[in-house]
Amino acid sequence: MIRVMPKPMSLLKPPVPILLLGLGFLGVWRLAIALWIQPATFGESNYQANCIRIESYLSQDPAPKLALIGSSLTGRLLPEYFDPPFRHAVANLGLDGGTPWAGLIVLNRREELPEIVCIETYLLDAEPSANDRALVRQLEEPGIALALADPLFRAEYRPSALLYNQMKRRRDPVIVQEVEDTLPSPPATAWQRPKSFAGRMDRSPPSHTLTPFIVNLRDHGVRVILLDMPKGDTAPPEVSIENRTSDSAAAWAEVWQVERLDLRHVLGHNGWIPHYTDGIHLDSPSARHLVRMLSRYLALQPARTINGAKGH
Amino acid sequence: MLFNTWTFAAFLLPVWLLYYARRRLDWQIGVLVTASFTFYGWGTDPTGFARWKLIPLLAVSCAINGLATRHLLDSRRSPAHRRRVLGAALVANLGILGFFKYAGLFATTLLPASLGAGLIDWVADIPLPVGISFYTFQGISLVVDAYRSGTIPGLVPRETSIPAAREPCPTGRNSIESYGNTSTNANANANADTNPNSRHTGTLFHGRIWFFKCFFPQLVAGPIVKASQFFHQIEAKSIRNIDWNGAVRMLITGFFFKMVVADNLKEATASIAAPHFETLPSGTLLVLLYAFSFQIFADFAGYSLIAQGLGKLFGYELPLNFNRPYLAASLTEFWRRWHLSLSSWLREYLYLPLGGNRKGHKRTYFNLFAVMFLGGLWHGAAWSYAVWGIAHGVGLALERWLGIGRKAELGDWSPMRWLRALITFHVVSFLWLLFQLPQFSQALHYLRCLATNPFGILPQYVFVTLLFGLPIVLHHLWASSEAWRNLHISPKWSDRVEVSSYALMLALVVVMPGSPGEFIYFQF
């Protein structure tokens, strides 16, 4: 066999131009991010959508005042739907394919916690999913540190996510339903308040995956609200356990001594008809309307004082 | 350890630096064998099983094949002895492979319940060691080649080498005359073990074999390297001889295929899972089939390219494993383009020993069928893999009967060829479903849903499939000089486009990786 010896490497010969040009492309893209590109809100896949939310929360400056924790149901409540003062102070950790467990782990990665944390009740009793564990494992990888260090590595600036966002926004339906300026006051049944805030929370409540998180949030003076989210009627059987979820959420709200807000039936007020994109998740106009109602309810119902100390 | 992780990057650089720190064969083999075992035993598999527990298994496999090869290459041994050694080595290799691959199936279907559920569960839960199919086949090829030819260029046991004649070795780079010539190597000077240019292949006999078996770039998912492709390359390497151009291109393409194409498509094809796919419209189900076809190619070809690129970084050429398989106009041609190292192995060590096409038509059809059936089972102990193999076997036999696909039709771009390529692509894609849904009943259910669900296409899946499938399409259509000639693009511009393409792929690996995950073929 005849062997042909390769020539020594030269600066003008590949692979050097490939490497240099590759760096050049990255530099141009980084410049475009700094000067012109608006970050994506939606990801082209569940994983990328979750990365966008997680990285957005961890890099948000200043720290958000309100955090939404839950599954893809909550994920539809985009921060941009909120009115001031929450609009730029909201973090959405409603993770596609996830449960509140993963969102709460992400939440605690920041030293400064939000003032209000709303936790979706629909998968309150669900065990952490494989998706959850994969997301939490990713938090330990150097990739997340890179993403927080520079926008070049963030999911919201992926070319594919930006392209997908362009297409999705063009496809989104125009809001055709008019919303009255005056929103109704929340019905009395929408709010559940713990019977007593007095005294310290029982440190040994019945075992639940989320209990340590709830305890930690309450210890830091965070206002925790369990949120019953509306969903379409065509949800898979394992999700469509409305009555059981409601009873469970009510029970846990009492045990953890936190508030509970039932948003499942409030969308129908003032003639608004909720719509669902896939029979399960709210479409954009409905999500916007729900967000406005949530903002109003939070403003109208300040936290009860706890042991005489002023809540949020 | 996965190639596309920070851990691997942290592993590779010091290994590479250590490797070239001394230009001595014993040093370099020692570094790579140690590194390869570290690579193999690092971390845990998705079930939490610690991979370091598999190190003894790999060591045993290397030792068995090394011992057998030494006996088989020893010309002083009798033919009967050599036959016994070959038989024992084959039994050992296939026994290990069969045990780990099929123990679960055996336990749940054949073991009597009287043995106790605990024992049956224990046997059924024995994890499949990563890479066992690949390094076992490599071991088999080694012992069979040693038996057949009695010699392997680049590998001679010390017992059979001619005593050193104190002749000076060629200095500097190895001369063409001495390359692969074991008798010349056997006459090397007395300092063969320390002379970096020594080609005396009697030294480091077992070291060379262990190196061949466990060289980490190809250890866990191929390419399956034959002894004749590798041993003649073993010599002390210099950093100046690295084919940087080839290595960087292969690494960039490999990582792009894996991290950008396969890992992003994986997010969509995760929907090919029961019961989720039952609710998807039929158009989307078809789109997902295409997505999985692109994904499995990108994942596997990506791994092979990375392996080849890494091999080059250490001075070794690993064989090509994929040659634009979705351009195939027949299943026969497909198997000359897909997983070339496996199809070559099956041909040489199974098809030809069975008689190949030399024993009449009926025997040929049977041989094709048998080889593909066993090739299907090689992937795993599940009915889906068996059906996959059977389908390909039947297809190959049918094509043989019809006289289709006898020659590779590389340069023929006629409309008929395109039509046949499209049909072949669809046949292959539908059969890939059996890899994503190893439970056969689920695969059938998927096809049922494809036929009966309301028609509809979810834009998100189309977007992901089109965007991340496009590079695969371009790779197939453009990665050939024929394509450039057909477009009448000058070589200068084609060079610039080529460099820009690699640079763009490199940038996209940085800014657009998908969710990290194991390579599909790790499970085999």
Side-chain angles (χ1 to χ4, degrees):
Chain A
M1 179 181 292
I2 297 175
R3 291 175 65 207
V4 177
M5 305 306 295
K7 294 179 183 174
M9 195 166 64
S10 157
L11 281 180
L12 296 179
K13 298 278 185 184
V16 175
I18 292 174
L19 299 174
L20 292 177
L21 190 57
L23 285 174
F25 282 147
L26 288 172
V28 167
W29 187 246
R30 180 63 182 90
L31 199 60
I33 288 172
L35 297 178
W36 163 55
I37 294 177
Q38 294 298 312
T41 311
F42 306 104
E44 71 273 28
S45 68
N46 284 358
Y47 176 81
Q48 298 304 334
N50 291 341
C51 284
I52 288 174
R53 294 189 189 110
I54 291 172
E55 290 166 5
S56 179
Y57 167 70
L58 292 175
S59 61
Q60 207 162 344
D61 185 27
K65 293 186 187 328
L66 168 66
L68 305 174
I69 307 278
S71 68
S72 53
L73 296 179
T74 303
R76 294 300 187 267
L77 307 184
L78 302 180
E80 64 200 55
Y81 296 166
F82 283 80
D83 293 325
F86 285 124
R87 176 174 293 169
H88 300 294
V90 173
N92 187 312
L93 291 173
L95 303 175
D96 294 351
T99 69
W101 177 80
L104 286 167
I105 288 185
V106 174
L107 189 81
N108 282 281
R109 296 280 289 205
R110 288 190 76 135
E111 280 191 24
E112 194 179 341
L113 294 172
E115 296 171 4
I116 306 172
V117 172
C118 293
I119 302 175
E120 176 192 317
T121 59
Y122 229 79
L123 294 173
L124 198 65
D125 293 329
E127 287 298 314
S129 64
N131 223 35
D132 286 338
R133 298 192 190 281
L135 282 170
V136 168
R137 269 198 304 272
Q138 278 305 107
L139 291 176
E140 305 305 325
E141 292 290 325
I144 192 75
L146 267 180
L148 297 181
D150 195 284
L152 183 67
F153 306 102
R154 279 193 209 149
E156 58 193 1
Y157 290 112
R158 285 162 55 94
S160 52
L162 294 168
L163 187 60
Y164 181 70
N165 270 247
Q166 286 292 317
M167 292 171 54
K168 191 169 169 67
R169 289 192 185 281
R170 283 181 194 173
R171 246 186 39 237
D172 251 5
V174 176
I175 298 176
V176 294
Q177 301 188 65
E178 293 297 323
V179 177
E180 289 191 12
D181 286 339
T182 54
L183 288 167
S185 297
T189 53
W191 281 102
Q192 175 187 339
R193 294 300 182 90
K195 291 188 173 60
S196 170
F197 272 116
R200 291 167 63 83
M201 178 179 163
D202 182 1
R203 290 287 157 160
S204 57
S207 173
H208 191 286
T209 313
L210 304 185
T211 297
F213 300 102
I214 306 295
V215 168
N216 181 58
L217 289 173
R218 290 206 58 206
D219 283 350
H220 284 83
V222 175
R223 182 183 179 191
V224 178
I225 303 173
L226 298 186
L227 210 60
D228 291 336
M229 285 285 296
K231 64 150 189 65
D233 291 334
T234 58
E238 61 271 19
V239 178
S240 184
I241 42 171
E242 195 160 312
N243 290 337
R244 201 155 79 226
T245 301
S246 176
D247 291 343
S248 172
W252 283 109
E254 282 300 322
V255 167
W256 291 329
Q257 294 182 15
V258 297
E259 300 165 76
R260 174 174 158 248
L261 177 59
D262 188 347
L263 294 176
R264 286 173 297 174
H265 306 296
V266 299
L267 275 181
H269 284 270
N270 295 342
W272 180 274
I273 302 171
H275 292 282
Y276 301 91
T277 55
D278 51 3
I280 303 170
H281 300 91
L282 289 170
D283 67 359
S284 297
S286 302
R288 282 194 182 95
H289 189 59
L290 188 72
V291 159
R292 292 187 68 232
M293 301 188 93
L294 174 62
S295 302
R296 176 172 171 80
Y297 298 162
L298 290 176
L300 287 176
Q301 298 285 351
R304 285 273 182 85
T305 57
I306 301 172
N307 287 344
K310 193 158 178 62
H312 297 286
Chain B
M1 200 187 294
L2 298 178
F3 289 155
N4 52 328
T5 58
W6 296 102
T7 310
F8 180 73
F11 159 85
L12 179 65
L13 183 60
V15 168
W16 188 80
L17 289 172
L18 266 177
Y19 177 78
Y20 285 109
R22 301 175 78 181
R23 200 183 162 201
R24 281 172 55 108
L25 184 59
D26 56 346
W27 168 263
Q28 293 185 343
I29 285 181
V31 167
L32 282 182
V33 170
T34 306
S36 298
F37 273 83
T38 306
F39 173 85
Y40 188 67
W42 191 272
T44 58
D45 70 5
T47 64
F49 180 80
R51 289 204 170 122
W52 64 263
K53 297 177 184 174
L54 299 174
I55 288 178
L57 177 65
L58 179 59
V60 163
S61 179
C62 291
I64 288 173
N65 286 289
L67 194 61
T69 303
R70 197 181 75 177
H71 282 251
L72 291 169
L73 292 183
D74 190 346
S75 55
R76 298 169 301 178
R77 305 287 182 179
S78 68
H81 174 80
R82 295 177 76 246
R83 272 197 302 275
R84 283 194 296 272
V85 168
L86 174 67
L90 289 177
V91 166
N93 277 300
L94 292 173
I96 292 174
L97 178 64
F99 174 75
F100 284 101
K101 253 187 146 54
Y102 305 107
L105 181 66
F106 173 78
T108 53
T109 58
L110 296 178
L111 283 184
S114 56
L115 281 181
L119 175 64
I120 293 175
D121 286 344
W122 180 82
V123 175
D125 287 343
I126 293 174
L128 179 67
V130 65
I132 191 169
S133 302
F134 294 91
Y135 64 72
T136 300
F137 270 31
Q138 234 166 267
I140 292 173
S141 96
L142 174 63
V143 297
V144 171
D145 284 355
Y147 174 79
R148 278 177 181 170
S149 59
T151 182
I152 292 177
L155 184 69
V156 176
R158 186 186 284 278
E159 301 82 32
T160 61
S161 63
I162 299 170
R166 301 295 189 272
E167 288 178 13
C169 247
T171 55
R173 294 178 181 142
N174 294 303
S175 65
I176 291 174
E177 291 79 15
S178 66
Y179 186 78
N181 185 335
T182 53
S183 58
T184 301
N185 294 335
N187 289 329
N189 62 30
N191 294 323
D193 287 340
T194 56
N195 185 336
N197 300 318
S198 168
R199 297 284 293 157
H200 178 63
T201 55
T203 60
L204 302 171
F205 177 83
H206 286 285
R208 290 167 194 260
I209 287 179
W210 283 55
F211 174 38
F212 162 72
K213 282 268 295 182
C214 68
F215 184 32
F216 72 87
Q218 46 85 41
L219 173 60
V220 293
I224 302 171
V225 184
K226 293 183 202 158
S228 57
Q229 294 170 318
F230 194 80
F231 280 102
H232 68 269
Q233 299 185 62
I234 299 180
E235 61 179 11
K237 303 289 184 181
S238 167
I239 200 170
R240 286 174 298 170
N241 300 139
I242 294 177
D243 176 13
W244 287 104
N245 191 18
V248 167
R249 285 169 189 245
M250 283 177 168
L251 287 170
I252 288 176
T253 310
F255 278 109
F256 176 78
F257 276 179
K258 169 56 181 167
M259 295 174 68
V260 178
V261 178
D263 284 351
N264 279 298
L265 284 172
K266 179 180 67 186
E267 291 300 313
T269 61
S271 296
I272 305 179
H276 184 67
F277 66 72
E278 295 169 359
T279 60
L280 297 175
S282 59
T284 301
L285 293 176
L286 184 62
V287 168
L288 286 174
L289 270 185
Y290 296 148
F292 187 65
S293 276
F294 295 141
Q295 178 197 341
I296 195 169
F297 168 74
D299 194 282
F300 199 10
Y303 184 96
S304 296
L305 284 166
I306 295 172
Q308 285 181 273
L310 290 173
K312 281 182 180 287
L313 288 182
F314 293 94
Y316 290 92
E317 296 289 332
L318 298 179
L320 180 70
N321 220 8
F322 293 88
N323 182 18
R324 295 174 289 149
Y326 292 147
L327 286 183
S330 63
L331 287 180
T332 306
E333 189 183 347
F334 177 78
W335 283 103
R336 293 197 199 107
R337 294 170 174 271
W338 177 276
H339 202 175
L340 294 170
S341 61
L342 175 66
S343 58
S344 167
W345 192 99
L346 289 173
R347 180 175 182 277
E348 191 163 336
Y349 301 104
L350 197 55
Y351 179 68
L352 291 179
L354 283 175
N357 61 0
R358 298 189 305 272
K359 299 197 174 182
H361 294 300
K362 287 183 184 171
R363 182 59 184 265
T364 302
Y365 303 147
F366 171 78
N367 291 342
L368 286 169
F369 176 85
V371 166
M372 292 312 301
F373 173 68
L374 292 172
L377 283 183
W378 173 85
H379 289 87
W383 273 113
S384 285
Y385 299 125
V387 169
W388 178 85
I390 289 170
H392 273 275
V394 167
L396 289 178
L398 196 62
E399 285 180 359
R400 181 123 195 145
W401 181 56
L402 295 171
I404 296 172
R406 286 187 180 270
K407 294 180 185 175
E409 297 161 35
L410 195 60
D412 174 14
W413 297 99
S414 65
M416 178 53 70
R417 193 213 188 302
W418 281 113
L419 177 65
R420 285 171 52 190
L422 201 61
I423 294 171
T424 305
F425 172 73
H426 279 81
V427 169
V428 168
S429 297
F430 272 80
L431 290 174
W432 281 141
L433 180 64
L434 296 167
F435 273 50
Q436 183 71 342
L437 294 170
Q439 277 193 44
F440 191 58
S441 56
Q442 288 181 358
L444 285 181
H445 188 40
Y446 189 97
L447 293 175
R448 205 174 299 126
C449 292
L450 181 60
T452 58
N453 280 12
F455 182 79
I457 298 182
L458 297 177
Q460 184 178 13
Y461 292 112
V462 174
F463 174 84
V464 169
T465 303
L466 282 179
L467 183 68
F468 295 109
L470 182 62
I472 303 303
V473 173
L474 290 177
H475 166 78
H476 278 73
L477 296 181
W478 289 66
S480 70
S481 55
E482 297 93 75
W484 287 116
R485 278 201 295 274
N486 289 343
L487 288 174
H488 306 293
I489 296 177
S490 70
K492 180 178 154 187
W493 275 103
S494 74
D495 277 346
R496 289 180 181 176
V497 170
E498 201 178 337
V499 167
S500 303
S501 302
Y502 282 107
L504 182 62
M505 284 196 287
L506 177 61
L508 289 175
V509 167
V510 174
V511 301
M512 219 161 71
S515 62
E518 290 212 336
F519 291 86
I520 293 175
Y521 264 69
F522 269 28
Q523 62 187 302
F524 306 131

